[in-house]
RNA sequence: UCCGGAGUAGCUCAGUGGUAGAGCAGGUGGCUGUUAACCACUUGGUCGGGAGUUCAAAUCUCUCCUCCGGAGCCA
């Protein structure tokens, strides 16, 4: 008898198999009962019929509880009445461990309760589907990069100073040297990496000690940063668009079942695999102001403005060419207008906000130094970064993708905290 | 940090001054095709903590705590 996964039972119709997993639900009747069984690959209904099994097996109906671990054997049978199309006519049920009363019931729960029970919530169908989509998105991103000449280059997580602002860092004690900080982006290190590898990327956790309390923010999240030598602003956006469209296609191809479990509108998602819209920051301001907003040409886009901008759009929208004061010190100036930097944000539809931030980087030593002075940065700490502009500097560009936001948008879940196994937010570090 | 909301059974919630409630979960019984199964019965309460007003407080006032949503900042 073969031990099989639920996803493969279709290949075993008419045969006896062994399944190893957990009790997802139980429905008991007088002389028949149903064990809804899950094993991580899928869910199948197992039917236990009184006159087909030993009395001791039949009586397990009063022993088993929700989420008890069980090993079941029986005959796989095609069954149109059952979800998934197959059913198991049970021969034996062996309990591995009888679960205590399971805290997560069949009715709805509030977010606080579910997050406090995240270690158990992960087992529910939607959360399991979401984790599978996260897996696909993660791999699709790295597949695209690997197929396009990018080398994986792991940036450090413990860093001596900030990449961008200085108010959002987590501090950790670091021996005699005092303090170190958890990385908020590997970007600056990648700029060193491309001078060795041409194109490279990192993918790992980054940390922001921002006191953000919104459905788009976590204090620990996963970011992919990519960087490429001799790529300019336009080429940078082209890579970003191709990458995101590849991820969308891959998710639809590999996770149709999971997207259906999450009730994601797949046709709508499909429409996002089309040329993305591009507007300059200036055009974006004019547009949102015409829709009722009232912001100036040097302002950043707030949540409301982002929502207005993508409202009714099937595809994500690039906002490029930002006023320098709204963006980071390392972004390259536009040759035609020194008040503008060659940065781009990619705004996802459906309120997930910015899923990519990218830019062409300043490659001129003196201009970069000027900007750092303006920002009152500690030049000594960034000497190595300035060095990159002294030893064979080249035009180069890069961008960062927030994994959870991308997963959230593709999955259609409302809150980003569901897009990571154990979310870290300002008031929650357990479990 | 600011603005708004919430805290009542294990869970989700109703209850706006006069005997503490429902659904689900748990327990008992019934049911051979259930799909968040159903039916009957049933266990379960420091109404977030403290103080105050009142003959009387889950309900009104003050205060503290916890959580949620949003803003700012960002991916």
């Amino acid at each position: 008898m073969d031990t099989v996964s639920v996803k493969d039972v279709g290949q075993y119709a008419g045969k006896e198999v062994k399944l190893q997993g957990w009790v997802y639900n139980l429905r008991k009747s007088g002389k028949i009962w149903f064990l809804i069984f899950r094993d991580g690959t899928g869910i199948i209904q197992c039917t236990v019929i009184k006159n087909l099994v030993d009395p001791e097996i039949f009586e397990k109906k009063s022993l088993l509880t929700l989420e008890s671990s069980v090993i079941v054997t029986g005959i796989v049978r095609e069954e149109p009445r059952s979800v998934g199309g197959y059913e198991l006519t049970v021969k034996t049920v062996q309990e591995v461990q009888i679960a205590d009363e399971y805290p997560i019931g069949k009715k709805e729960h509030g977010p606080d309760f579910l997050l406090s029970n995240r270690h158990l919530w992960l087992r529910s169908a939607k959360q399991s589907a979401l984790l599978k989509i996260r897996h696909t998105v993660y791999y699709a991103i790295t597949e695209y990069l690997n197929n396009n000449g990018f080398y994986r280059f792991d940036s450090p997580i413990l860093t001596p100073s900030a990449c961008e602002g200085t108010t959002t860092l987590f501090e950790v004690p670091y021996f005699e040297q005092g303090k170190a900080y958890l990385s908020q982006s590997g970007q600056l290190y990648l700029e060193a990496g491309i001078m060795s590898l041409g194109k490279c990327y990192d993918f790992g956790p980054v940390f922001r000690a921002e006191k953000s309390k919104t459905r788009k923010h976590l204090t620990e999240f996963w970011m992919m940063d990519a960087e490429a030598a001799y790529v300019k602003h336009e080429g940078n956006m082209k890579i970003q668009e191709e990458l995101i469209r590849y991820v969308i296609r891959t998710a639809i191809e590999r996770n149709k079942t999971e997207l259906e479990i999450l009730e994601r509108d797949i046709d709508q998602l499909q429409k996002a695999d089309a040329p993305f819209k591009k507007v300059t920051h200036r055009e974006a301001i004019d547009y949102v102001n015409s829709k009722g907003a009232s912001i100036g040409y040097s302002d950043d886009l707030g949540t409301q403005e982002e929502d207005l901008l993508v409202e009714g759009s099937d595809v994500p929208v690039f906002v490029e060419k930002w006023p320098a004061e709204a963006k980071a010190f390392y972004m390259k100036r536009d040759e035609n207008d020194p008040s503008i930097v060659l940065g781009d944000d990619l705004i996802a539809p459906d309120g997930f906000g910015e899923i990519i931030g990218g830019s062409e980087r300043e490659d001129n030593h003196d201009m970069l130094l000027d900007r750092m002075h303006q920002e009152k940065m500690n030049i000594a700490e960034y000497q190595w970064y300035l060095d990159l502009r002294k030893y064979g500097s080249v035009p180069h560009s890069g961008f960062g993708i927030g994994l959870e936001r991308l997963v959230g948008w593709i999955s259609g879940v409302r809150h980003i905290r569901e897009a990571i196994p154990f979310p870290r937010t300002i008031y929650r570090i357990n479990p």
Side-chain angles (χ1 to χ4, degrees):
Chain A
M1 188 188 346
D2 289 343
T3 300
V4 305
S5 295
V6 171
K7 70 173 165 59
D8 299 326
V9 291
Q11 302 162 26
Y12 292 85
K15 297 196 175 118
E16 186 173 357
V17 299
K18 181 199 267 189
L19 300 174
Q20 306 181 118
W22 295 265
V23 176
Y24 192 66
N25 197 5
L26 290 163
R27 279 188 283 272
K28 302 167 194 173
S29 206
K31 290 169 184 155
I32 183 170
W33 56 280
F34 304 96
L35 191 171
I36 315 303
F37 175 96
R38 65 171 189 86
D39 71 348
T41 71
I43 289 183
I44 187 170
Q45 174 159 283
C46 305
T47 310
V48 187
I49 298 165
K50 188 165 191 175
N51 59 23
L52 293 184
V53 295
D54 291 341
E56 60 171 309
I57 299 295
F58 191 78
E59 284 316 310
K60 300 235 168 162
K61 71 173 179 175
S62 45
L63 174 71
L64 295 179
T65 54
L66 294 187
E67 289 301 325
S68 287
S69 37
V70 288
I71 296 172
V72 182
T73 66
I75 308 286
V76 177
R77 191 163 41 78
E78 223 172 318
E79 175 53 77
R81 282 177 293 187
S82 194
V83 177
Y86 290 93
E87 229 177 59
L88 193 77
T89 302
V90 169
K91 282 198 167 172
T92 68
V93 177
Q94 180 61 52
E95 67 277 13
V96 178
Q97 190 254 330
I98 297 299
D100 284 2
E101 187 183 323
Y102 196 61
I104 298 181
K106 297 175 199 170
K107 282 224 166 176
E108 285 180 17
H109 297 279
D112 185 45
F113 176 79
L114 289 171
L115 286 168
S116 294
N117 289 283
R118 182 62 172 167
H119 53 299
L120 302 175
W121 186 25
L122 292 172
R123 303 178 186 194
S124 63
K126 285 192 176 182
Q127 298 307 311
S128 177
L130 211 32
L131 294 174
K132 288 173 187 169
I133 292 169
R134 180 184 167 102
H135 170 85
T136 300
V137 171
Y138 180 96
Y139 270 93
I141 291 171
T142 58
E143 269 167 23
Y144 175 88
L145 293 165
N146 294 341
N147 291 338
N148 283 277
F150 287 79
Y151 289 94
R152 178 155 183 144
F153 174 92
D154 295 311
S155 298
I157 286 174
L158 288 167
T159 59
S161 54
C163 168
E164 300 183 24
T166 50
T167 57
T168 61
L169 295 168
F170 283 105
E171 284 183 9
V172 290
Y174 202 76
F175 308 110
E176 292 80 24
Q177 298 187 46
K179 292 171 190 161
Y181 304 92
L182 296 182
S183 178
Q184 55 181 191
S185 165
Q187 181 205 312
L188 303 190
Y189 293 98
L190 285 170
E191 288 185 58
I194 57 164
M195 305 304 177
S196 166
L197 301 168
K199 299 186 208 174
C200 58
Y201 69 95
D202 66 19
F203 208 148
V206 294
F207 307 87
R208 306 268 167 102
E210 290 155 0
K211 294 190 173 181
S212 298
K213 293 180 61 179
T214 78
R215 64 194 181 90
K216 295 188 299 200
H217 289 87
L218 298 168
T219 55
E220 175 185 300
F221 65 96
W222 281 62
M223 186 155 75
M224 189 291 301
D225 282 299
E227 199 74 24
Y230 291 106
V231 168
K232 306 197 74 163
H233 175 63
E234 293 297 332
N236 192 29
M237 290 202 293
K238 185 161 175 280
I239 295 168
Q240 292 168 38
E241 177 170 335
E242 279 182 7
L243 170 50
I244 297 296
R245 290 178 61 181
Y246 178 76
V247 172
I248 293 166
R249 277 199 298 280
T250 307
I252 291 172
E253 182 189 309
R254 296 183 196 166
N255 290 114
K256 200 160 185 298
T257 308
E258 285 73 25
L259 290 166
E260 280 164 2
I261 288 170
L262 291 164
E263 297 170 44
R264 177 66 160 106
D265 184 340
I266 297 175
D267 291 339
Q268 185 61 36
L269 184 59
Q270 185 77 62
K271 288 182 194 164
D273 182 17
F276 292 176
K277 289 180 188 161
K278 270 179 210 163
V279 294
T280 64
H281 176 264
R282 198 175 182 85
E283 288 164 349
I285 300 295
D286 286 339
Y287 178 77
V288 298
N289 283 344
S290 78
K291 293 275 177 185
S294 56
I295 57 172
Y297 289 126
S298 56
D299 290 337
D300 201 349
L301 298 176
T303 303
Q304 263 190 325
E305 288 82 46
E306 283 181 358
D307 288 348
L308 279 173
L309 193 64
V310 294
E311 198 177 60
S313 178
D314 292 331
V315 295
V317 177
F318 277 113
V319 181
E320 56 164 340
K321 298 190 176 174
W322 288 70
E325 58 268 34
K327 289 288 175 188
F329 74 96
Y330 50 72
M331 293 194 183
K332 187 177 175 65
R333 301 290 172 136
D334 190 336
E335 287 172 0
N336 305 315
D337 182 351
S339 72
I340 297 294
V341 290
L342 298 173
D344 65 274
D345 286 359
L346 184 66
I347 317 291
D350 310 321
F352 272 91
E354 190 185 336
I355 51 172
I356 291 186
S359 70
E360 184 168 342
R361 321 302 192 188
E362 183 53 71
D363 50 74
N364 179 281
H365 178 276
D366 293 346
M367 294 193 49
L368 184 62
L369 187 60
D370 269 0
R371 279 291 285 140
M372 293 169 71
H373 280 304
Q374 278 171 30
E375 299 284 330
K376 299 190 170 67
M377 295 170 66
N378 182 342
I379 305 296
E381 279 184 352
Y382 292 91
Q383 195 53 57
W384 68 270
Y385 186 66
L386 283 160
D387 270 2
L388 302 175
R389 277 72 182 168
K390 286 166 42 181
Y391 302 103
S393 188
V394 294
H396 64 287
S397 302
F399 60 96
I401 297 179
L403 178 63
E404 289 76 16
R405 283 192 185 172
L406 183 55
V407 171
W409 169 54
I410 287 175
S411 310
V413 298
R414 213 186 106 65
H415 203 300
I416 194 174
R417 66 189 161 204
E418 294 186 47
I420 186 168
F422 290 95
R424 297 292 178 244
T425 56
I426 171 170
Y427 292 126
R428 182 180 291 281
I429 194 153
N430 283 309

